[in-house]
């Protein structure tokens, strides 16, 4: 993984005019946003429905939420974008099939684990029906979701993961109803359960095998592939599966081969070599007499979070069409050579299907900057010697003596701190010394871009001086991958983009945890430790958005500091540019999160009532005060866990 951290680029030099389009290029909207986002001349980020020439400013959606009592932070889903992704993936495979003369069709399945939220799955099942897009289940709970949601019998249900008797029986009932539900064997021992259950119930199963490929992939999830992968059958176990099926006269049930190289595969060459190896297994299974007919290439289609079009971990060096053509052509070339009929191609793209449709929106509650306080123009005659020295250093900062001034500032400031410890400098003198040091750092930092040589110490200065923007969200709840795996997501303001973002910032959440911060950002083609943002304006909100968060973030999140689920809003944009709030879910209340950790909110209230009642008896508060307190306590229990204005 690359952790390049360079000096924050100065936002293109102080041009008197800064246009909204300058912001669009700074934040890379056109690079990571596919065609789903753009910036208008009024400086608002708009979400755009491709092919329909309609778009809506995201701040308008925020305003509409406020009118409906939906508070920040909010996960906003744009249904049109999810629909568009489903269409894109299905039509791209269809184009590849048509252009190469591949002799079978494509069937997508969405892995439920990537976003299990009910309305996401309902939308995929509903809109996806026109493409027979199915679902992938990795547990009993997910199979239950899949069986209840799919109504189209041309769609597939693919069951991965370890399966017990109950799991297998559920899947067999799906078979009996007419659903094409495949059991993909992850281990040899699952086969005995499948055989036993299907004989007992008299239902023929559809069986697939997940194979362990030797092909390795780059990127973060490379452990899903290769010899040491914990998933899939070894070649020897595969032979044993085939033998056992033959013994039970069930080889006709073996119809699918499954491989999953890993998630977010940035390099197309890895995909091609993995699929090639899978084809060899497929051909081998056909030669063993299995009917086959389905080849499932798993997930792995990446999302270009950085918009770099490169093989960096959070990027990808290929496009959707290239992905589809590579897979289709590899299958075709390799199977034609053996005279094997083309299978139905199945893929399990999760990330690439849902990432775009969701964004996390939050307001900024406060900013802590490191700007020096007021510095006197001239010093009193009795000023402390060290302060006199600091004052003259500040006056002398020049592009040729940056390091020297920096060293002096630290030296004199620390000397004064030392005097303060020993009672030889006052509180006010210490404050003044700290201010001078900051003033010097600020001047040094401003001249760094002009300096010929910059020491590592000095190049860290802009980060040290960066503002801290406190965002009303919990990283652990809403963006767990930033914390867990250093994921990069596009982050930017959703308004004021016609103003130049003059501040350099890191973003802290409200969990009071030192890990609850964002200090790696991707823009202008590189990774930076700070993000250019606008100064807050008195009495008006400043909104930031984190984009492409539809995959994996929502259910991996945890209750750190008891910040609960955020409010979720699903919006559908209509052809006339108006919008409808199709779904809204209020986030967890404090009572909700307390009950998750086994408190009974009623008892909590009752205990507090007793405390308040005792205070009345002891004469510390009167009855009316008791009532007000209880009301506030009850309101808080029912309120949002996040900061409310
Ligand atoms: C997680 C997973 C997927 C989804 O992968 P994406 O990279 O999100 O498309 C698909 N198949 C299996 C077996 C998985 O475990």
């Amino acid at each position: 993984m690359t952790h390049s951290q360079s000096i924050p680029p100065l936002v293109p030099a102080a041009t008197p005019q800064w246009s909204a389009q300058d912001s669009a290029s700074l934040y890379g909207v056109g690079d990571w946003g596919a065609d789903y986002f753009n910036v208008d001349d009024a400086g608002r980020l708009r979400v755009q429905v491709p092919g329909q020439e309609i778009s809506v400013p995201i701040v308008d959606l925020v305003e509409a939420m406020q009118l409906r009592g939906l508070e920040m932070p909010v996960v906003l889903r744009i249904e049109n974008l999810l629909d568009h992704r489903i269409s894109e993936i299905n039509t791209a495979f269809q184009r590849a099939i048509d252009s190469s003369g591949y002799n079978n069709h494509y069937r997508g399945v969405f892995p439920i684990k990537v976003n299990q939220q009910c309305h996401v799955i309902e939308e995929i099942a509903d809109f996806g029906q026109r493409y027979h897009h199915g679902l992938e289940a990795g547990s009993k709970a997910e199979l239950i979701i899949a069986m209840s949601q799919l109504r189209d019998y041309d769609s597939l249900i693919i069951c991965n993961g370890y399966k017990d008797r109950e799991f297998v029986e559920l899947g067999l009932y799906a078979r009996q109803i007419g659903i094409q539900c495949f059991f993909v064997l992850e281990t040899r021992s699952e086969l005995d359960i499948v055989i036993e259950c299907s004989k007992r119930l008299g239902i023929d199963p559809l069986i697939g095998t997940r194979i362990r490929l030797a092909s390795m992939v780059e990127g973060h999830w490379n452990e899903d592939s290769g010899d040491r992968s914990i998933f899939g059958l070894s070649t020897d176990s595969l032979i044993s599966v085939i033998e056992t099926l033959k013994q039970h006269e069930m080889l006709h049930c073996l119809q699918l081969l499954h491989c999953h190289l890993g998630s977010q595969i940035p390099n197309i060459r890895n995909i091609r070599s993995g699929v090639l190896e899978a084809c060899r297994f497929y051909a081998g299974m056909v030669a063993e007499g299995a009917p086959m007919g389905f080849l499932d290439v798993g997930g792995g289609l990446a999302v270009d979070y950085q918009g770099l079009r490169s093989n960096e971990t959070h990027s990808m060096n290929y496009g959707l069409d290239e992905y589809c053509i590579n897979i289709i052509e590899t299958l075709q070339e390799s199977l034609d050579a053996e005279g094997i009929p083309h299978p139905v191609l199945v893929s399990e793209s999760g990330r690439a299907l849902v990432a775009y449709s969701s964004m996390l929106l939050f307001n900024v509650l406060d900013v802590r900057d490191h700007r020096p306080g007021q510095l006197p123009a001239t010093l009193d005659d009795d000023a402390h010697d060290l302060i006199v020295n600091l004052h003259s250093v500040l006056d002398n900062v020049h592009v040729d003596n940056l390091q020297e001034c920096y060293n002096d500032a630290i030296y004199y400031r620390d000397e004064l701190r030392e005097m303060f410890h020993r009672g030889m400098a006052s509180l006010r003198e210490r404050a003044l010394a700290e201010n001078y040091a900051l003033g010097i750092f600020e001047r040094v930092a401003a001249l760094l871009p002009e300096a010929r040589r910059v020491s590592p110490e000095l190049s860290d200065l802009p980060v040290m001086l960066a503002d801290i923007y406190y965002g009303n969200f919990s990283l652990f709840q809403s963006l767990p991958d930033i914390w867990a795996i250093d994921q990069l997501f596009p982050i930017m303001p959703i308004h004021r983009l016609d103003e130049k973002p003059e501040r350099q910032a890191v973003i802290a959440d409200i969990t009071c945890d030192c890990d609850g911060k964002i200090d790696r950002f991707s823009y202008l083609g590189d990774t930076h430790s700070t993000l250019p943002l606008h100064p807050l304006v008195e009495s008006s909100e400043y909104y930031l958005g984190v984009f492409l968060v539809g995959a994996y973030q929502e259910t991996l999140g945890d209750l750190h500091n008891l910040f609960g689920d955020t409010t979720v809003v699903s919006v559908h944009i209509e052809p006339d540019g108006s919008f409808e709030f199709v779904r809204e879910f209020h986030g967890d209340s404090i009572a909700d999160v307390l009950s998750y950790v086994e408190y009974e909110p009623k008892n909590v209230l009752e205990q507090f009532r007793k405390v308040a009642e005792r205070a009345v008896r002891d004469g510390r508060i009167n009855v009316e005060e008791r009532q007000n307190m209880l009301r506030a306590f009850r309101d808080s229990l029912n309120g949002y866990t996040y900061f409310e204005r």
Side-chain angles (χ1 to χ4, degrees):
M1 217 183 315
T2 51
H3 267 245
S4 67
Q5 306 222 316
S6 50
I7 305 176
L10 274 205
V11 173
T15 42
Q17 306 101 335
W18 176 267
S19 79
Q21 291 322 307
D22 293 328
S23 291
S25 349
L26 170 68
Y27 296 113
V29 176
D31 301 326
W32 54 261
D35 292 324
Y36 299 132
F37 300 94
N38 65 49
V39 174
D40 65 22
D41 290 341
R44 298 170 304 181
L45 184 67
R46 303 174 76 102
V47 28
Q48 162 172 307
V49 185
Q52 290 187 32
E53 303 304 318
I54 46 170
S55 68
V56 175
I58 298 170
V59 275
D60 287 5
L61 296 171
V62 170
E63 225 163 73
M65 285 174 211
Q66 275 159 355
L67 295 174
R68 289 162 175 80
L70 300 159
E71 299 247 18
M72 297 282 116
V74 169
V75 169
L76 171 63
R77 295 219 181 86
I78 309 292
E79 239 179 45
N80 313 59
L81 300 194
L82 178 54
D83 296 350
H84 189 260
R85 292 305 292 168
I86 297 173
S87 291
E88 282 286 286
I89 290 179
N90 280 280
T91 54
F93 270 112
Q94 193 55 51
R95 273 194 300 277
I97 284 170
D98 292 344
S99 71
S100 58
Y102 186 81
N103 225 338
N104 214 324
H105 50 260
Y106 168 73
R107 288 283 181 271
V109 291
F110 175 72
I112 296 176
K113 72 151 196 259
V114 181
N115 191 326
Q116 299 101 329
Q117 301 297 313
C118 180
H119 51 301
V120 172
I121 300 296
E122 277 179 4
E123 185 64 15
I124 292 171
D126 183 32
F127 186 86
Q129 191 161 335
R130 69 199 68 188
Y131 303 107
H132 311 298
H133 208 98
L135 295 167
E136 185 264 0
S139 66
K140 277 182 276 191
E142 291 182 358
L143 178 56
I144 282 173
I145 293 175
M147 287 171 67
S148 65
Q149 294 299 325
L150 274 194
R151 273 166 289 281
D152 164 33
Y153 291 179
D154 284 327
S155 306
L156 308 179
I157 294 182
I158 305 280
C159 301
N160 291 317
Y162 301 103
K163 293 168 264 305
D164 63 5
R165 186 160 284 110
E166 209 172 62
F167 193 143
V168 171
E169 284 178 9
L170 277 175
L172 287 170
Y173 294 138
R175 278 297 297 135
Q176 202 168 21
I177 295 168
I179 299 174
Q180 298 187 68
C181 176
F182 276 91
F183 298 124
V184 175
L185 304 177
E186 301 260 0
T187 63
R188 167 66 189 76
S189 55
E190 280 172 304
L191 181 58
D192 299 332
I193 302 174
V194 171
I195 291 174
E196 187 269 314
C197 291
S198 53
K199 291 211 161 146
R200 180 160 42 81
L201 297 176
I203 305 165
D204 251 4
L206 285 171
I207 297 178
T209 50
R210 177 165 183 177
I211 47 153
R212 201 183 299 170
L213 296 179
S215 310
M216 295 290 288
V217 302
E218 296 156 35
H220 188 84
W221 284 269
N222 54 17
E223 291 189 357
D224 284 351
S225 59
D227 284 337
R228 296 191 30 140
S229 163
I230 54 171
F231 300 108
L233 300 166
S234 65
T235 319
D236 185 55
S237 306
L238 176 61
I239 302 283
S240 157
V241 163
I242 292 170
E243 282 302 317
T244 310
L245 285 172
K246 279 182 181 164
Q247 277 159 25
H248 288 86
E249 297 186 354
M250 285 176 71
L251 193 60
H252 62 279
C253 300
L254 182 55
Q255 298 186 21
L256 178 142
L257 178 134
H258 174 282
C259 60
H260 172 64
L261 284 167
S263 197
Q264 180 71 15
I265 302 175
N267 193 340
I268 186 76
R269 287 195 300 279
N270 297 155
I271 292 168
R272 201 184 246 279
S273 58
V275 171
L276 194 60
E277 189 183 352
C279 285
R280 302 301 309 141
F281 275 92
Y282 187 89
M285 290 166 75
V286 170
E288 288 285 334
M292 302 308 286
F294 295 82
L295 195 150
D296 181 347
V297 296
L301 173 57
V303 167
D304 199 350
Y305 295 98
Q306 292 187 266
L308 296 174
R309 291 175 181 58
S310 78
N311 60 352
E312 305 259 338
T313 307
H314 305 293
S315 185
M316 60 201 283
N317 67 359
Y318 55 95
L320 178 58
D321 278 313
E322 197 182 345
Y323 173 80
C324 298
I325 286 170
N326 262 274
I327 293 175
I328 291 288
E329 288 187 352
T330 307
L331 288 186
Q332 200 175 18
E333 283 164 20
S334 128
L335 297 177
D336 282 355
E338 317 237 1
I340 294 172
H342 300 161
V344 174
L345 172 67
V346 182
S347 84
E348 306 178 343
S349 278
R351 184 187 297 279
L353 205 80
V354 291
Y356 289 94
S357 53
S358 296
M359 64 194 88
L360 173 73
L361 301 174
F362 59 88
N363 51 332
V364 173
L365 299 172
D366 200 0
V367 174
R368 193 174 91 201
D369 65 34
H370 296 87
R371 278 189 266 195
Q374 191 72 43
L375 290 170
T378 54
L379 290 176
D380 297 340
D381 291 343
D382 60 348
H384 202 292
D385 284 352
L386 291 166
I387 288 178
V388 174
N389 293 348
L390 283 164
H391 182 88
S392 77
V393 174
L394 181 65
D395 270 349
N396 285 313
V397 179
H398 188 266
V399 69
D400 294 324
N401 65 1
L402 297 179
Q403 185 72 46
E404 194 185 327
C405 292
Y406 174 79
N407 296 344
D408 287 351
I410 295 203
Y411 178 78
Y412 294 132
R413 181 200 63 188
D414 290 355
E415 281 287 293
L416 196 126
R417 282 180 180 176
E418 190 55 38
M419 305 281 270
F420 177 73
H421 284 297
R422 286 190 268 123
M424 295 160 72
S426 71
L427 194 60
R428 281 175 190 273
E429 284 167 327
R430 175 164 174 169
L432 196 53
E434 309 260 354
N435 268 340
Y436 270 113
L438 279 177
I440 295 163
F441 296 159
E442 198 176 52
R443 250 179 233 185
V444 170
L447 290 171
L448 283 180
E450 295 168 38
R452 257 171 292 134
R453 269 196 63 250
V454 174
S455 67
E457 198 177 21
L458 286 192
S459 67
D460 282 348
L461 205 50
V463 178
M464 214 181 84
L465 294 176
D467 297 345
I468 302 172
Y469 276 55
Y470 292 95
N472 189 15
F473 72 103
S474 158
L475 191 78
F476 307 93
Q477 174 61 240
S478 298
L479 302 165
D481 279 352
I482 292 188
W483 169 65
I485 58 166
D486 282 334
Q487 171 81 48
L488 289 166
F489 292 107
I491 302 176
M492 65 179 286
I494 59 167
H495 57 153
R496 294 179 60 189
L497 296 167
D498 51 344
E499 298 167 40
K500 186 169 163 187
E502 307 258 17
R503 307 298 306 165
Q504 291 290 341
V506 298
I507 298 171
D509 73 3
I510 53 171
T511 62
C512 308
D513 185 312
C514 61
D515 278 340
K517 67 172 190 301
I518 309 177
D519 58 3
R520 274 182 80 228
F521 306 92
S522 176
Y523 53 91
L524 295 179
D526 210 343
T527 321
H528 308 278
S529 321
T530 59
L531 181 72
L533 289 177
H534 304 90
L536 294 195
V537 172
E538 192 83 39
S539 78
S540 56
E541 291 279 16
Y542 187 49
Y543 295 109
L544 300 180
V546 185
F547 297 87
L548 317 192
V549 296
Y552 300 104
Q553 301 314 292
E554 288 178 53
T555 32
L556 286 179
D558 71 14
L559 283 176
H560 199 56
N561 282 94
L562 295 185
F563 288 108
D565 278 348
T566 63
T567 291
V568 180
V569 174
S570 275
V571 166
H572 193 90
I573 301 173
E574 304 298 334
D576 64 358
S578 66
F579 48 83
E580 183 191 347
F581 279 55
V582 231
R583 305 280 188 103
E584 50 187 69
F585 299 90
H586 286 262
D588 284 332
S589 67
I590 290 177
D592 291 335
V593 297
L594 290 187
S595 67
Y596 299 156
V597 284
E598 321 296 344
Y599 292 89
E600 176 50 61
K602 274 203 203 93
N603 297 347
V604 170
L605 184 61
E606 175 56 17
Q607 276 160 354
F608 182 70
R609 191 196 62 80
K610 283 184 183 152
V611 171
E613 183 58 27
R614 191 163 316 125
V616 173
R617 238 187 14 240
D618 297 347
R620 271 172 282 142
I621 56 173
N622 64 33
V623 179
E624 199 187 337
E625 285 164 337
R626 182 200 102 130
Q627 285 310 85
N628 288 341
M629 275 181 206
L630 281 179
R631 196 174 307 115
F633 196 86
R634 203 178 295 113
D635 286 351
S636 284
L637 266 179
N638 294 329
Y640 205 10
T641 56
Y642 294 89
F643 194 99
E644 296 172 282
R645 293 273 196 219

